[in-house]
Amino acid sequence: MRRTPLLIVGGGPAGAAAAIALAAAGHRPLLIERTAAPRDPVCGGFLSGDTLAHLSALGVDAAALGAQRIDRLRIAGPHGEVTTALPIAAAGLS
């Protein structure tokens, strides 16, 4: 019987997570992406506490990739600003 690799179409967060999970389970998935180079969002990426937990479960260390801890929120307006602690630490990654 001919075997073909598991095919994942799209290298975004879901496709990358699927490829990592399959590889950790001993499979050799084939991941294809339509763009040849990574795209940077204009303002970097916000990684919520839940996202950090999911990445950690996949074996991805966001801090090792350069993520910076975010533990508070600041909202500024023309009449002042308010700062408050986040209930769960997050991170920013460019």
Side-chain angles (χ1 to χ4, degrees), residues 32-50:
I32 59 172
E33 171 59 33
R34 94 175 110 178
T35 57
R39 294 170 290 186
D40 289 327
V42 174
C43 61
F46 176 79
L47 305 175
S48 70
D50 289 341

Side-chain angles (χ1 to χ4, degrees), residues 4-8 15-32:
T4 58
L6 295 166
L7 178 63
I8 300 169
I20 290 169
L22 287 167
H27 300 284
R28 293 180 51 107
L30 175 61
L31 176 76
I32 59 172

